[in-house]
Amino acid sequence: MSRAGRRSQLLRAGSVRGVGGDCSMAPDPWFSTYDSTCQTAQEIAEKIQQRNQYERNGENTTKLTVTIRALLQKLKEKIALLKDLLLRAVSTHQITQLEGDRRQNLLDDLVTRERLLLTSFKNEGAEPDLIRSSLMTGGAKRGVPNPWLFEEPEETRGLGFDEIREQQQQIIQEQDAGLDALSSIISRQKQMGQEIGNELNEQNEIIDDLANLVENTDEKLRTETRRVNLVDRKSTSCGSKLPSSRQTGNLHE
């Protein structure tokens, strides 16, 4: 189904009709924002084409470049708003999951167009006719090749939205598995670090005990040394007070 067909189907799904066939509720504002975003994307493509035409003619493109940059920023903000509105509608059950998937497909298409427009803006040698025709209704019917597929990576070329989403989910799962493995390695390293820290604490306690033992032994050695010195001094003093043998003989006479 073409983009216009999907959008038409979603517009019908976004309205609620009464018994008499009259619309009892205005279309979902998500689609008015979506239409405005598509118009902005088309305007950007036309401005890029005009800028490239100016460059080929040697004219000044500064003003157009500033305008394109502003429009690209505007497109980015509108896409962000669409994402927020869609997330809110799905989380509050304002729409069904199937309806949410359909809108997500349209949103993914807009994101791809934004990326390619940005690439075309930066690539001054891009083909402006292809960019412009891709945004015009009925471009595929006129036999004009789709430029969005022209610059699409080989990994996603020819795949539908569901297949691309499945591919992205597989990539995310592989990344999650890698993160789990990395987390396991970090956990083991953390455990090893804790064990090393515990071992260091035990070694520090042993060192502290040894330091205390050495300090006590040193204190005992100093005490014993003082006692030996005291005994030695007393012994020397007593020896000097004893009379000599001559003095002792004189005393006997």
Side-chain angles (χ1 to χ4, degrees), residues 113-145:
R113 293 168 69 182
E114 178 198 16
R115 175 174 57 83
L116 293 173
L117 281 171
L118 184 59
T119 301
S120 300
F121 172 66
K122 293 180 179 179
N123 182 14
E124 298 180 358
E127 293 294 334
D129 293 335
L130 290 179
I131 299 171
R132 179 174 177 273
S133 62
S134 66
L135 296 175
M136 302 299 293
T137 304
K141 296 180 181 179
R142 294 194 297 270
V144 179

Side-chain angles (χ1 to χ4, degrees), residues 105-119:
N105 288 340
L106 293 178
L107 187 55
D108 292 341
D109 186 29
L110 273 176
V111 172
T112 301
R113 293 168 69 182
E114 178 198 16
R115 175 174 57 83
L116 293 173
L117 281 171
L118 184 59
T119 301

Side-chain angles (χ1 to χ4, degrees), residues 13-227:
S15 303
V16 179
R17 297 186 177 276
V19 178
D22 297 332
C23 183
S24 59
M25 181 181 296
D28 194 315
W30 191 89
F31 292 103
S32 60
T33 305
Y34 173 79
D35 288 338
S36 175
T37 306
C38 289
Q39 292 174 1
T40 301
Q42 179 176 341
E43 184 179 359
I44 292 172
E46 294 174 350
K47 294 293 185 184
I48 291 176
Q49 181 191 24
Q50 186 178 2
R51 182 203 65 175
N52 293 344
Q53 183 66 36
Y54 279 12
E55 288 177 348
R56 286 194 293 268
N57 295 336
E59 301 180 31
N60 189 356
T61 62
T62 303
K63 184 176 180 180
L64 270 176
T65 300
V66 173
T67 301
I68 294 172
R69 290 185 186 276
L71 287 174
L72 284 171
Q73 180 62 29
K74 183 179 180 181
L75 178 63
K76 180 179 180 180
E77 294 173 356
K78 286 188 175 183
I79 290 176
L81 176 60
L82 284 173
K83 290 180 180 179
D84 183 65
L85 291 174
L86 179 57
L87 178 61
R88 190 177 307 172
V90 172
S91 61
T92 57
H93 304 288
Q94 296 178 7
I95 58 176
T96 63
Q97 184 62 43
L98 179 60
E99 179 69 13
D101 291 340
R102 291 172 179 171
R103 297 187 186 188
Q104 184 63 50
N105 288 340
L106 293 178
L107 187 55
D108 292 341
D109 186 29
L110 273 176
V111 172
T112 301
R113 293 168 69 182
E114 178 198 16
R115 175 174 57 83
L116 293 173
L117 281 171
L118 184 59
T119 301
S120 300
F121 172 66
K122 293 180 179 179
N123 182 14
E124 298 180 358
E127 293 294 334
D129 293 335
L130 290 179
I131 299 171
R132 179 174 177 273
S133 62
S134 66
L135 296 175
M136 302 299 293
T137 304
K141 296 180 181 179
R142 294 194 297 270
V144 179
N146 190 343
W148 308 114
L149 295 180
F150 179 75
E151 297 186 11
E152 187 175 0
E154 290 289 342
E155 294 79 3
T156 59
R157 184 170 300 175
L159 299 180
F161 286 113
D162 293 335
E163 293 172 325
I164 293 176
R165 182 176 299 171
E166 182 179 355
Q167 186 183 73
Q168 292 175 345
Q169 290 176 350
Q170 182 178 358
I171 294 175
I172 292 174
Q173 290 175 357
E174 293 175 355
Q175 291 176 345
D176 289 341
L179 290 175
D180 290 339
L182 180 60
S183 176
S184 178
I185 293 173
I186 293 175
S187 298
R188 289 198 299 269
Q189 290 179 342
K190 179 181 179 181
Q191 183 178 0
M192 292 174 59
Q194 291 176 344
E195 292 176 355
I196 293 174
N198 294 335
E199 182 68 22
L200 289 175
N201 290 334
E202 293 178 0
Q203 295 295 333
N204 288 333
E205 291 178 358
I206 294 174
I207 292 173
D208 291 338
D209 293 340
L210 288 175
N212 293 332
L213 181 60
V214 170
E215 185 178 356
N216 293 335
T217 303
D218 185 61
E219 181 63 27
K220 290 180 180 179
L221 286 174
R222 287 196 296 269
T223 302
E224 291 298 325
T225 300
R226 287 195 297 270
R227 292 175 59 185

